[in-house]
Amino acid sequence: MLANQCIAANGRFIVVLSGGSTPAALYRRLGHIKTDWQRWHIYFGDERYLPAGHPERNDTLARQTWLDHVPIPAAQIYAVPYAGSVYAAAAAYDALLAQTPRFDLVLLGLGEDGHTASLFPGPAAHANGLLYTIAVSDAPKPPAERISMNTQRLSEADAVWFLITGESKRKALTEWISGNDLPPCHIAPEGGVDIFTDLDVSP
Ligand code: 6PG
């Protein structure tokens, strides 16, 4: 298993979790694997700008289905802060990521419009001086205010896995692999990305 290989090689496993509902089934299963949880470091590819514990936060789903049920040290679960404004929260996470090594694994989903994390089709949001995150205030998928890692930081990973299920994603997935300019196209780790899907699609 990738996590145990990374722990054996590097003494730690640094993983970025996806938001949305698709990963819930995976998160529930992860609670039953044999691993050294003390070596896991958890980041979030994006987060909704909502107070800690809010049911619509991405880390809330991960905690309820998995993280609250395994002994990963709390200090190694790096939640996106709810800090004064969506920009202040993005800036705080940006500063954390500046001190964060390359990721071992990034998990991502795909929205029906082709978004991933909180990177939506259309003109890229302004960086506003941030290197690794963006503050989103007009997300088409509610809630409107979000913090997201940018494509460059999501690409600084040894493995990037997209988890995509359901007929509603067929159009976006087909457009993506057919070469349409969608946010997932700009996530380009050296080793490429892997797509895990129940859909039978071709370019
Ligand atoms: C979010 C997610 C988002 C999600 C896709 C798919 O905060 O909403 O990060 O990018 O992964 O919208 O969502 P579902 O898995 O719920 O279809």
Side-chain angles (χ1 to χ4, degrees):
M1 182 181 70
L2 178 62
N4 291 343
Q5 291 166 4
C6 293
I7 290 168
N10 309 320
R12 64 191 179 197
F13 180 55
I14 305 174
V15 57
V16 176
L17 301 189
S18 166
S21 56
T22 299
L26 168 65
Y27 293 164
R28 288 191 182 92
R29 293 184 64 159
L30 282 172
H32 304 288
I33 65 171
K34 289 198 175 309
T35 188
D36 182 356
W37 293 115
Q38 303 294 312
R39 303 289 185 169
W40 284 56
H41 294 259
I42 307 290
Y43 292 81
F44 297 87
D46 72 320
E47 189 56 277
R48 291 87 180 275
Y49 181 62
L50 295 164
H54 191 286
E56 287 185 39
R57 278 182 63 104
N58 288 326
D59 69 346
T60 299
L61 176 72
R63 292 178 193 276
Q64 289 175 346
T65 55
W66 168 32
L67 300 178
D68 286 351
H69 309 287
V70 295
I72 298 174
Q76 293 171 203
I77 299 175
Y78 308 92
V80 178
Y82 181 67
S85 71
V86 63
Y87 181 80
Y93 216 54
D94 196 80
L96 172 69
L97 292 171
Q99 304 164 33
T100 299
R102 180 180 177 83
F103 301 131
D104 292 312
L105 174 62
V106 171
L107 297 175
L108 288 167
L110 183 71
E112 295 176 18
D113 62 355
H115 77 262
T116 191
S118 288
L119 306 168
F120 292 86
H126 290 293
N128 290 322
L130 302 178
L131 298 176
Y132 309 111
T133 62
I134 60 164
V136 178
S137 57
D138 57 353
K141 175 181 180 183
E145 290 191 307
R146 293 156 170 262
I147 297 92
S148 185
M149 289 188 197
N150 60 25
T151 54
Q152 175 234 328
R153 193 59 178 90
L154 289 167
S155 302
E156 290 173 10
D158 289 337
V160 176
W161 298 351
F162 281 85
L163 311 177
I164 303 169
T165 61
E167 195 56 37
S168 67
K169 307 298 177 70
R170 181 180 296 278
K171 177 175 177 291
L173 179 53
T174 302
E175 288 178 352
W176 170 21
I177 64 175
S178 299
N180 291 32
D181 184 13
L182 292 171
C185 303
H186 301 279
I187 296 174
E190 290 87 349
V193 305
D194 293 293
I195 298 172
F196 296 90
T197 183
D198 58 355
L199 296 169
D200 177 13
V201 294
S202 52

